[in-house]
Amino acid sequence: MAERLMVLYGDDSAEVHYAGGGRLLLSPCGCEYRYDAGPPASSHQLQPAESTRQRAAFVRSAHRERLIRALDFRNRFSSRPYLPSRVLPPERKKIIFRDILEIRWPDPATADLTRCADNGNVKISSVDGYAHLYLSELQQEFTVEFLCKVSQSSVASLCSSQKNSNYQTRDQYGKSRKNPVAEMSLKQMRVEGKKNDQGCAEGKYREPTNPEDQRDTDGVPLFYTKHTCEYMWVTQCWSISSYPEEWKHPLSLALMCYNLNTAKKVMQTCEKNHHPSMETDVIIDPETKETVSHLPTALPLSCRAPHLHRWTFCDFFQNEATEKYSCPQLIQIVWWQGVFYRFIHGRKNIIEIYPGDDSVLKSEGSLFGNYFMHYAIQKGTKKREEKMYSVNSLPPDVPGNSYSISSIITQATKILQYCYKTKLSLTHNYYLCCWKMVPETDGREMLPVLLYEKVIPSIGRVIVYSDHKVHAAFWDGVTLNMVWDFSSSCSKIQINEDVGWCKLTTPDGVQQLIQISHPGIYERYTRTVIEWCRSLNERKEISEYTEHSETEENWSADVELEKIQRFNFLLDNSNVLERTSAAKPNPSGLTVRKTENESEPEEISEGYVLEALEKTSKVIQDIESLLAASGR
């Protein structure tokens, strides 16, 4: 029953390994799970393990506790929780006689934020008490607790999402406006609600003819099912460097509170030591005036894209020595031997390690992957300590410490290299997430597309994808995969900006990770790709990728198609081809063409065709010269 390892992948799927050898795999949306029981001690080695795959809402009693703990782990680090009412224990549920659509936070202009700080930690609570934010003393992560409505059916969940998140949006100029579709839905719901209220008022004092009619199929009174909502307290942990938009405002309040409390302590220290107090002004962010925000909504009970669920366990933690993995996936969170590892992927790549003693080890920026900063607070003096550890020269273990700095950094480096190999592969299926998919496109909008392809003479071919992946195939059989940020025009080598590593495959199939800053004997390969990518940035031939951002100028095939289309247009609209010479045949050869109004073929002389081609060629040359002069 005890968990040995817990992993949250990039698609929000969770995997749990147990001490007895059992494994549980949870789908990204949480509505399905697979459990493989550990092999009995008396079983044969070739005997397959007992496997169960089932809907979470209909979990077996033997797997119920495991599933609840797996869901808690997933909901703690995922932006949208999954809360099946039939599975979760009743003591967790809270009956509320209203539907919570938004919450209000304290106004920094009127509230005394200094009272929110307690011994270095900061707590910000909403005015209605439906949400709380806790900022740690190190200011590296924060925890939120909020009331969330339990998962509903797909239709009810869609209506809730429209009311909660889409009711007020922002246009392209950043101004707030109301969504007409959501507003119409709300008006219809209000009208229906008025009708229901009037109906209840008319029959309010009528005695029921049958008491059973006042209960639903589960025996619960309809008074509770029609006029109440089931909510649960959800706890989530987020990094200061990456968090959902819903927590931007309360986090700014917490940081403001921390700064005010720090300034207050400085003034008290100056007064105690009889020094002149310094003026410490804390600037209030104008964005903090928006005191109303929306809470995250739970995912629906059923998944709309179950075909995207992955039912293969990622065997990275079983095959660390062999480095052969059957199902590569990006890793977000790892809990192993009491230590949490957080990996943030994107424009900024960050590693955070939480050993469990309120300290944090962090690697980011120019230090990413090579150095770790260790942040800690002294218990007695409350002073902030910072230490730096190099991956290539880790300190020895200290007897009596609860954890080993060398072991946790080494483990984090192994996971990081595994994520690099997954990123730098041309397998893009780890982007697919069932609950983030748009139903009309069947998930195709999540897959990257080819943006640019270039054949460099005597060197090889280079391909760029919309997810900033660069694939280079050299003529000597060497292939190189790299991630490059084409959104900026920076001419510097982008070490550690996106991925400071590249994957090189030799002609005999050997793959290895190479640091861009220290390529060694493979410098000519990395330098060639970097110079080509830098030239694209300087010419701005590839801008920041947005959906459907392919331009026809980036496709050589499209340019040729344009020429063919111009020629066909001129050919179809030319009066020269309308003339016929049926009276005398051409002995040198005939070109036969049928008109739309006549069924008999017309004979066209070779001279007329040559004349039309010469005119078309001249027009195309004039168009190309005009385009070249205009800067295209």
Side-chain angles (χ1 to χ4, degrees):
M1 188 64 175
E3 295 84 358
R4 183 178 59 87
L5 171 71
M6 305 178 77
V7 185
L8 183 71
Y9 294 103
D11 60 350
D12 279 357
S13 62
E15 185 174 327
V16 183
H17 294 221
Y18 300 96
R23 299 184 299 179
L24 187 143
L25 181 62
L26 196 63
S27 64
C29 58
C31 68
E32 284 189 283
Y33 75 95
R34 171 186 171 180
Y35 177 74
D36 289 358
S42 59
S43 63
H44 193 270
Q45 295 181 354
L46 299 179
Q47 181 180 352
E50 180 185 355
S51 180
T52 303
R53 175 182 165 187
Q54 205 164 359
R55 290 276 301 274
F58 306 101
V59 59
R60 295 169 55 180
S61 58
H63 306 154
R64 186 186 185 91
E65 189 63 29
R66 294 188 182 93
L67 179 63
I68 291 176
R69 293 174 66 88
L71 284 174
D72 289 342
F73 172 73
R74 180 213 171 274
N75 295 338
R76 191 175 185 87
F77 302 100
S78 181
S79 57
R80 292 189 63 183
Y82 180 71
L83 306 172
S85 179
R86 297 181 57 178
V87 177
L88 300 174
E91 58 269 15
R92 291 192 183 185
K93 303 172 189 176
K94 186 180 181 65
I95 304 298
I96 298 180
F97 290 86
R98 57 167 296 188
D99 196 4
I100 303 175
L101 300 179
E102 58 186 21
I103 56 174
R104 184 175 298 276
W105 298 96
D107 188 355
T110 58
D112 186 7
L113 296 179
T114 57
R115 296 182 179 181
C116 300
D118 182 18
N119 198 20
N121 299 318
V122 178
K123 177 184 178 182
I124 300 294
S125 299
S126 62
V127 177
D128 45 26
Y130 293 148
H132 310 280
L133 185 143
Y134 304 89
L135 180 64
S136 62
E137 192 171 4
L138 284 173
Q139 301 183 68
Q140 296 296 330
E141 70 166 348
F142 64 94
T143 303
V144 291
E145 294 179 352
F146 61 95
L147 279 175
C148 183
K149 194 175 183 178
V150 297
S151 298
Q152 308 292 317
S153 61
S154 299
V155 178
S157 180
L158 179 61
C159 296
S160 178
S161 299
Q162 289 180 349
K163 290 189 296 181
N164 195 12
S165 59
N166 295 338
Y167 181 67
Q168 187 170 358
T169 58
R170 293 183 180 272
D171 57 13
Q172 58 180 346
Y173 301 103
K175 298 180 180 180
S176 299
R177 62 180 180 87
K178 293 184 178 180
N179 191 332
V181 177
E183 187 176 8
M184 183 64 66
S185 301
L186 285 176
K187 289 181 179 179
Q188 292 178 355
M189 293 180 65
R190 291 193 189 102
V191 171
E192 293 178 356
K194 290 180 180 179
K195 292 181 179 179
N196 293 335
D197 293 341
Q198 292 175 0
C200 292
E202 292 177 359
K204 184 174 181 181
Y205 299 103
R206 295 180 182 177
E207 291 293 332
T209 57
N210 188 359
E212 293 181 357
D213 294 339
Q214 302 301 313
R215 297 178 178 271
D216 61 4
T217 56
D218 296 331
V220 181
L222 290 179
F223 176 77
Y224 292 99
T225 58
K226 287 186 176 181
H227 303 278
T228 62
C229 299
E230 280 187 339
Y231 280 80
M232 294 185 61
W233 283 102
V234 177
T235 302
Q236 292 183 350
C237 295
W238 298 102
S239 170
I240 295 293
S241 306
S242 177
Y243 54 88
E245 189 70 19
E246 292 88 351
W247 308 114
K248 181 178 181 180
H249 173 67
L251 178 61
S252 64
L253 292 179
L255 294 174
M256 188 188 307
C257 172
Y258 184 88
N259 296 333
L260 289 173
N261 190 56
T262 302
K264 184 178 179 180
K265 288 182 178 180
V266 171
M267 295 179 62
Q268 291 177 352
T269 303
C270 293
E271 292 177 359
K272 184 177 181 181
N273 297 333
H274 303 287
H275 293 299
S277 60
M278 299 177 294
E279 295 184 0
T280 54
D281 296 332
V282 179
I283 300 176
I284 297 179
D285 191 354
E287 293 186 0
T288 56
K289 295 181 180 179
E290 299 289 339
T291 59
V292 177
S293 62
H294 300 282
L295 290 175
T297 57
L299 292 171
L301 285 173
S302 58
C303 181
R304 59 189 178 186
H307 59 282
L308 295 180
H309 293 173
R310 171 180 57 88
W311 298 118
T312 304
F313 288 91
C314 183
D315 52 0
F316 163 70
F317 295 94
Q318 283 76 24
N319 300 331
E320 292 186 41
T322 60
E323 296 186 357
K324 294 181 180 180
Y325 318 120
S326 60
C327 188
Q329 289 288 326
L330 284 182
I331 294 177
Q332 291 190 80
I333 302 292
V334 175
W335 178 87
W336 185 62
Q337 295 183 351
V339 180
F340 275 102
Y341 302 83
R342 176 185 278 121
F343 298 86
I344 300 174
H345 310 284
R347 298 288 297 274
K348 294 182 179 180
N349 293 273
I350 303 173
I351 307 174
E352 295 178 349
I353 306 175
Y354 300 90
D357 60 347
D358 296 334
S359 66
V360 181
L361 286 95
K362 193 171 185 178
S363 179
E364 62 178 340
S366 60
L367 308 178
F368 182 69
N370 299 318
Y371 296 90
F372 282 80
M373 293 295 299
H374 192 187
Y375 303 97
I377 300 292
Q378 292 183 356
K379 295 183 177 180
T381 59
K382 293 292 182 179
K383 291 184 178 180
R384 186 186 181 97
E385 289 184 347
E386 295 184 4
K387 298 179 182 179
M388 180 182 291
Y389 298 105
S390 172
V391 174
N392 299 323
S393 179
L394 293 173
D397 297 342
V398 178
N401 282 6
S402 57
Y403 57 90
S404 170
I405 294 290
S406 177
S407 298
I408 61 178
I409 291 181
T410 302
Q411 182 66 25
T413 305
K414 290 181 180 179
I415 301 174
L416 179 63
Q417 292 181 358
Y418 165 78
C419 292
Y420 276 154
K421 292 181 179 180
T422 303
K423 279 184 177 182
L424 296 173
S425 67
L426 296 182
T427 303
H428 306 285
N429 59 350
Y430 60 82
Y431 282 97
L432 296 178
C433 180
C434 57
W435 64 269
K436 298 178 183 178
M437 185 202 72
V438 178
E440 291 76 11
T441 60
D442 197 22
R444 290 189 297 272
E445 80 284 350
M446 299 182 186
L447 293 176
V449 296
L450 181 67
L451 285 186
Y452 196 83
E453 183 176 3
K454 177 75 173 180
V455 176
I456 305 176
S458 304
I459 295 179
R461 184 180 64 172
V462 186
I463 301 174
V464 177
Y465 293 95
S466 59
D467 57 351
H468 303 295
K469 282 186 182 180
V470 181
H471 173 70
F474 297 90
W475 296 135
D476 57 359
V478 176
T479 61
L480 186 141
N481 295 344
M482 184 184 297
V483 175
W484 187 272
D485 184 12
F486 290 98
S487 61
S488 62
S489 301
C490 181
S491 61
K492 295 168 33 178
I493 296 179
Q494 300 188 359
I495 300 175
N496 296 315
E497 286 296 323
D498 271 18
V499 174
W501 298 64
C502 60
K503 187 176 74 171
L504 186 139
T505 305
T506 58
D508 55 354
V510 178
Q511 298 181 355
Q512 51 184 319
L513 289 177
I514 300 175
Q515 280 190 318
I516 298 179
S517 57
H518 302 90
I521 61 176
Y522 303 106
E523 181 180 0
R524 66 187 185 96
Y525 298 104
T526 59
R527 186 178 67 251
T528 300
V529 179
I530 288 174
E531 290 177 355
W532 182 78
C533 293
R534 196 187 310 167
S535 66
L536 285 185
N537 279 46
E538 292 173 354
R539 296 199 306 263
K540 297 183 179 180
E541 290 185 3
I542 294 184
S543 60
E544 185 175 5
Y545 173 72
T546 54
E547 293 183 1
H548 310 293
S549 64
E550 302 99 336
T551 56
E552 293 182 355
E553 289 77 12
N554 291 335
W555 297 82
S556 58
D558 288 345
V559 177
E560 299 299 328
L561 287 175
E562 284 183 0
K563 294 180 180 179
I564 296 174
Q565 290 174 358
R566 294 169 191 163
F567 174 79
N568 291 336
F569 176 81
L570 294 175
L571 191 65
D572 293 337
N573 294 275
S574 176
N575 295 327
V576 176
L577 297 179
E578 297 296 332
R579 304 171 186 174
T580 61
S581 58
K584 49 181 181 179
N586 188 2
S588 62
L590 297 176
T591 302
V592 181
R593 177 175 178 266
K594 286 187 177 182
T595 59
E596 295 179 357
N597 300 327
E598 298 178 4
S599 60
E600 295 295 331
E602 296 179 352
E603 298 176 354
I604 303 173
S605 64
E606 185 178 3
Y608 289 124
V609 175
L610 292 177
E611 181 183 357
L613 290 176
E614 289 177 358
K615 291 183 178 179
T616 303
S617 177
K618 186 177 183 307
V619 171
I620 291 177
Q621 291 178 1
D622 295 337
I623 294 175
E624 288 180 344
S625 61
L626 181 62
L627 292 177
S630 62
R632 294 183 65 185

PDB file of all heavy atoms in Angstrom, residues 41 69 83 177 200 233 292 326 330 432 454 456 478 558 580 592:
ATOM      1  N   ALA A  41       4.973 -13.982  -4.559  1.00  0.00           N
ATOM      2  CA  ALA A  41       6.305 -14.552  -4.332  1.00  0.00           C
ATOM      3  C   ALA A  41       6.440 -15.939  -4.951  1.00  0.00           C
ATOM      4  O   ALA A  41       7.528 -16.344  -5.360  1.00  0.00           O
ATOM      5  CB  ALA A  41       6.600 -14.609  -2.828  1.00  0.00           C
ATOM      6  N   ARG A  69      -5.467   8.367  -3.315  1.00  0.00           N
ATOM      7  CA  ARG A  69      -4.148   8.965  -3.064  1.00  0.00           C
ATOM      8  C   ARG A  69      -3.485   9.390  -4.380  1.00  0.00           C
ATOM      9  O   ARG A  69      -2.795  10.418  -4.435  1.00  0.00           O
ATOM     10  CB  ARG A  69      -3.269   7.985  -2.308  1.00  0.00           C
ATOM     11  CG  ARG A  69      -3.767   7.704  -0.884  1.00  0.00           C
ATOM     12  CD  ARG A  69      -2.949   6.605  -0.219  1.00  0.00           C
ATOM     13  NE  ARG A  69      -1.577   7.014   0.002  1.00  0.00           N
ATOM     14  CZ  ARG A  69      -1.142   7.657   1.079  1.00  0.00           C
ATOM     15  NH1 ARG A  69      -2.006   7.973   2.045  1.00  0.00           N
ATOM     16  NH2 ARG A  69       0.124   7.991   1.213  1.00  0.00           N
ATOM     17  N   LEU A  83     -12.465  15.570  -9.506  1.00  0.00           N
ATOM     18  CA  LEU A  83     -13.095  15.315  -8.213  1.00  0.00           C
ATOM     19  C   LEU A  83     -14.363  14.484  -8.399  1.00  0.00           C
ATOM     20  O   LEU A  83     -15.473  15.024  -8.435  1.00  0.00           O
ATOM     21  CB  LEU A  83     -13.426  16.640  -7.515  1.00  0.00           C
ATOM     22  CG  LEU A  83     -12.274  17.630  -7.342  1.00  0.00           C
ATOM     23  CD1 LEU A  83     -12.779  18.957  -6.811  1.00  0.00           C
ATOM     24  CD2 LEU A  83     -11.199  17.057  -6.433  1.00  0.00           C
ATOM     25  N   ARG A 177     -14.223  42.830 -21.860  1.00  0.00           N
ATOM     26  CA  ARG A 177     -15.510  42.807 -22.521  1.00  0.00           C
ATOM     27  C   ARG A 177     -16.200  41.518 -22.155  1.00  0.00           C
ATOM     28  O   ARG A 177     -15.576  40.535 -21.772  1.00  0.00           O
ATOM     29  CB  ARG A 177     -15.366  42.914 -24.045  1.00  0.00           C
ATOM     30  CG  ARG A 177     -14.598  41.752 -24.661  1.00  0.00           C
ATOM     31  CD  ARG A 177     -14.478  41.911 -26.167  1.00  0.00           C
ATOM     32  NE  ARG A 177     -13.745  40.827 -26.770  1.00  0.00           N
ATOM     33  CZ  ARG A 177     -14.275  39.685 -27.166  1.00  0.00           C
ATOM     34  NH1 ARG A 177     -15.569  39.477 -26.983  1.00  0.00           N
ATOM     35  NH2 ARG A 177     -13.553  38.742 -27.733  1.00  0.00           N
ATOM     36  N   CYS A 200     -41.925  26.718  -8.019  1.00  0.00           N
ATOM     37  CA  CYS A 200     -41.796  26.273  -6.626  1.00  0.00           C
ATOM     38  C   CYS A 200     -42.682  27.101  -5.707  1.00  0.00           C
ATOM     39  O   CYS A 200     -43.233  26.596  -4.727  1.00  0.00           O
ATOM     40  CB  CYS A 200     -40.328  26.390  -6.201  1.00  0.00           C
ATOM     41  SG  CYS A 200     -39.237  25.229  -7.046  1.00  0.00           S
ATOM     42  N   TRP A 233     -12.461  21.001  -0.626  1.00  0.00           N
ATOM     43  CA  TRP A 233     -11.246  21.795  -0.480  1.00  0.00           C
ATOM     44  C   TRP A 233     -10.132  21.114  -1.266  1.00  0.00           C
ATOM     45  O   TRP A 233      -9.843  19.943  -1.075  1.00  0.00           O
ATOM     46  CB  TRP A 233     -10.842  21.926   0.981  1.00  0.00           C
ATOM     47  CG  TRP A 233     -11.660  22.929   1.741  1.00  0.00           C
ATOM     48  CD1 TRP A 233     -12.678  22.677   2.612  1.00  0.00           C
ATOM     49  CD2 TRP A 233     -11.517  24.345   1.682  1.00  0.00           C
ATOM     50  NE1 TRP A 233     -13.197  23.853   3.099  1.00  0.00           N
ATOM     51  CE2 TRP A 233     -12.502  24.892   2.548  1.00  0.00           C
ATOM     52  CE3 TRP A 233     -10.684  25.208   0.990  1.00  0.00           C
ATOM     53  CZ2 TRP A 233     -12.653  26.265   2.733  1.00  0.00           C
ATOM     54  CZ3 TRP A 233     -10.840  26.574   1.170  1.00  0.00           C
ATOM     55  CH2 TRP A 233     -11.804  27.090   2.031  1.00  0.00           C
ATOM     56  N   VAL A 292     -11.201  40.854  -8.002  1.00  0.00           N
ATOM     57  CA  VAL A 292     -12.082  39.722  -8.274  1.00  0.00           C
ATOM     58  C   VAL A 292     -11.379  38.778  -9.244  1.00  0.00           C
ATOM     59  O   VAL A 292     -10.812  39.212 -10.246  1.00  0.00           O
ATOM     60  CB  VAL A 292     -13.432  40.188  -8.861  1.00  0.00           C
ATOM     61  CG1 VAL A 292     -14.308  38.992  -9.198  1.00  0.00           C
ATOM     62  CG2 VAL A 292     -14.128  41.104  -7.879  1.00  0.00           C
ATOM     63  N   SER A 326      10.758   2.640 -23.419  1.00  0.00           N
ATOM     64  CA  SER A 326       9.731   2.270 -24.388  1.00  0.00           C
ATOM     65  C   SER A 326       8.745   3.392 -24.650  1.00  0.00           C
ATOM     66  O   SER A 326       8.186   3.495 -25.732  1.00  0.00           O
ATOM     67  CB  SER A 326       8.967   1.027 -23.899  1.00  0.00           C
ATOM     68  OG  SER A 326       8.341   1.298 -22.649  1.00  0.00           O
ATOM     69  N   LEU A 330       7.703  13.633 -21.072  1.00  0.00           N
ATOM     70  CA  LEU A 330       8.266  14.701 -20.252  1.00  0.00           C
ATOM     71  C   LEU A 330       7.791  14.552 -18.811  1.00  0.00           C
ATOM     72  O   LEU A 330       6.651  14.161 -18.559  1.00  0.00           O
ATOM     73  CB  LEU A 330       7.847  16.064 -20.785  1.00  0.00           C
ATOM     74  CG  LEU A 330       8.564  16.563 -22.045  1.00  0.00           C
ATOM     75  CD1 LEU A 330       8.056  17.947 -22.408  1.00  0.00           C
ATOM     76  CD2 LEU A 330      10.066  16.599 -21.846  1.00  0.00           C
ATOM     77  N   LEU A 432       0.326  15.593 -26.592  1.00  0.00           N
ATOM     78  CA  LEU A 432      -1.110  15.333 -26.615  1.00  0.00           C
ATOM     79  C   LEU A 432      -1.649  15.181 -25.201  1.00  0.00           C
ATOM     80  O   LEU A 432      -1.100  14.432 -24.393  1.00  0.00           O
ATOM     81  CB  LEU A 432      -1.410  14.082 -27.435  1.00  0.00           C
ATOM     82  CG  LEU A 432      -1.071  14.158 -28.923  1.00  0.00           C
ATOM     83  CD1 LEU A 432      -1.364  12.835 -29.595  1.00  0.00           C
ATOM     84  CD2 LEU A 432      -1.860  15.275 -29.594  1.00  0.00           C
ATOM     85  N   LYS A 454      15.511  23.599 -45.635  1.00  0.00           N
ATOM     86  CA  LYS A 454      16.593  24.182 -46.406  1.00  0.00           C
ATOM     87  C   LYS A 454      17.632  23.121 -46.706  1.00  0.00           C
ATOM     88  O   LYS A 454      18.060  22.382 -45.810  1.00  0.00           O
ATOM     89  CB  LYS A 454      17.241  25.335 -45.621  1.00  0.00           C
ATOM     90  CG  LYS A 454      18.438  25.966 -46.299  1.00  0.00           C
ATOM     91  CD  LYS A 454      18.037  26.861 -47.443  1.00  0.00           C
ATOM     92  CE  LYS A 454      19.212  27.619 -48.000  1.00  0.00           C
ATOM     93  NZ  LYS A 454      18.820  28.505 -49.132  1.00  0.00           N
ATOM     94  N   ILE A 456      21.376  22.761 -47.754  1.00  0.00           N
ATOM     95  CA  ILE A 456      22.635  23.500 -47.823  1.00  0.00           C
ATOM     96  C   ILE A 456      23.602  22.701 -48.685  1.00  0.00           C
ATOM     97  O   ILE A 456      23.898  21.539 -48.367  1.00  0.00           O
ATOM     98  CB  ILE A 456      23.215  23.731 -46.420  1.00  0.00           C
ATOM     99  CG1 ILE A 456      22.170  24.431 -45.530  1.00  0.00           C
ATOM    100  CG2 ILE A 456      24.479  24.568 -46.486  1.00  0.00           C
ATOM    101  CD1 ILE A 456      22.630  24.613 -44.101  1.00  0.00           C
ATOM    102  N   VAL A 478      25.531  11.924 -40.136  1.00  0.00           N
ATOM    103  CA  VAL A 478      25.307  12.427 -38.782  1.00  0.00           C
ATOM    104  C   VAL A 478      24.035  13.264 -38.764  1.00  0.00           C
ATOM    105  O   VAL A 478      23.809  14.091 -39.653  1.00  0.00           O
ATOM    106  CB  VAL A 478      26.509  13.261 -38.299  1.00  0.00           C
ATOM    107  CG1 VAL A 478      26.234  13.872 -36.933  1.00  0.00           C
ATOM    108  CG2 VAL A 478      27.763  12.408 -38.252  1.00  0.00           C
ATOM    109  N   ASP A 558       5.559  26.394 -52.616  1.00  0.00           N
ATOM    110  CA  ASP A 558       4.462  27.327 -52.834  1.00  0.00           C
ATOM    111  C   ASP A 558       4.824  28.388 -53.866  1.00  0.00           C
ATOM    112  O   ASP A 558       3.967  28.864 -54.624  1.00  0.00           O
ATOM    113  CB  ASP A 558       4.068  27.997 -51.516  1.00  0.00           C
ATOM    114  CG  ASP A 558       3.343  27.036 -50.583  1.00  0.00           C
ATOM    115  OD1 ASP A 558       2.910  25.986 -51.069  1.00  0.00           O
ATOM    116  OD2 ASP A 558       3.213  27.354 -49.387  1.00  0.00           O
ATOM    117  N   THR A 580      -8.345  29.952 -84.190  1.00  0.00           N
ATOM    118  CA  THR A 580      -8.221  28.595 -84.736  1.00  0.00           C
ATOM    119  C   THR A 580      -7.742  28.657 -86.160  1.00  0.00           C
ATOM    120  O   THR A 580      -7.943  29.664 -86.870  1.00  0.00           O
ATOM    121  CB  THR A 580      -9.576  27.871 -84.675  1.00  0.00           C
ATOM    122  OG1 THR A 580     -10.503  28.591 -85.461  1.00  0.00           O
ATOM    123  CG2 THR A 580     -10.066  27.727 -83.250  1.00  0.00           C
ATOM    124  N   VAL A 592      -3.927  20.065 -79.653  1.00  0.00           N
ATOM    125  CA  VAL A 592      -5.363  19.894 -79.652  1.00  0.00           C
ATOM    126  C   VAL A 592      -5.910  20.390 -78.332  1.00  0.00           C
ATOM    127  O   VAL A 592      -5.376  20.084 -77.257  1.00  0.00           O
ATOM    128  CB  VAL A 592      -5.750  18.423 -79.884  1.00  0.00           C
ATOM    129  CG1 VAL A 592      -7.272  18.287 -79.908  1.00  0.00           C
ATOM    130  CG2 VAL A 592      -5.163  17.945 -81.201  1.00  0.00           C
TER     131      VAL A 592
END
